[in-house]
């Protein structure tokens, strides 16, 4: 299912809390407050909300997954996980 790239979903996203999102990744991709004026559809890649964008450029190992607990995952009735490791998730 298609996940909308919008601010509401970005705010609900749990990717930054995931154990697989390493300290290196967090340091490299420091996100400040989410600006309501961002046109999310013009972003080609974002190092979070991987279910809407594509896999991560800095996460390479599953150290735990929060996808099944994520409000965005539930809202869109997604049935996969590990979106950070594979675009579209791993079945």
């Amino acid at each position: 299912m298609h996940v909308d790239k919008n601010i509401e979903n970005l705010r609900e996203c749990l990717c930054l809390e995931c154990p697989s999102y390493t300290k290196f990744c967090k340091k490299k991709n420091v996100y400040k407050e989410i600006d309501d004026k961002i046109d999310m559809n013009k972003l080609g890649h974002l190092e979070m909300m991987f279910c809407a964008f594509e896999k991560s450029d800095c996460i390479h190992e599953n150290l735990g997954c929060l996808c099944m607990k994520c409000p965005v995952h539930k809202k869109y009735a997604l049935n996969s996980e590990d979106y950070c490791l594979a675009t579209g998730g791993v079945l």
Side-chain angles (χ1 to χ4, degrees):
M1 175 170 261
H2 171 78
V3 176
D4 293 325
K5 296 176 184 176
N6 60 44
I7 297 296
E8 178 186 341
N9 285 342
L10 191 60
R11 286 195 170 116
E12 293 176 348
C13 174
L14 294 183
C15 288
L16 295 179
E17 298 173 29
C18 184
S20 295
Y21 205 102
T22 64
K23 288 179 185 178
F24 167 76
C25 219
K26 287 179 185 179
K27 189 173 184 177
K28 181 179 173 187
N29 302 294
V30 175
Y31 291 100
K32 299 187 175 150
E33 264 188 58
I34 299 166
D35 184 352
D36 288 337
K37 295 176 184 138
I38 294 173
D39 185 349
M40 300 281 292
N41 288 308
K42 289 185 179 179
L43 294 176
H45 182 75
L46 188 64
E47 277 296 322
M48 61 187 297
M49 209 164 78
F50 301 110
C51 60
F53 286 92
E54 57 185 34
K55 71 180 186 158
S56 173
D57 291 337
C58 62
I59 298 172
H60 304 292
E61 183 179 7
N62 183 341
L63 300 174
C65 183
L66 296 181
C67 287
M68 297 297 182
K69 296 178 181 178
C70 181
V72 178
H73 192 279
K74 290 176 185 173
K75 182 191 310 185
Y76 289 90
L78 301 176
N79 60 7
S80 194
E81 56 186 23
D82 295 322
Y83 293 93
C84 60
L85 295 173
T87 299
V90 177
L91 298 175

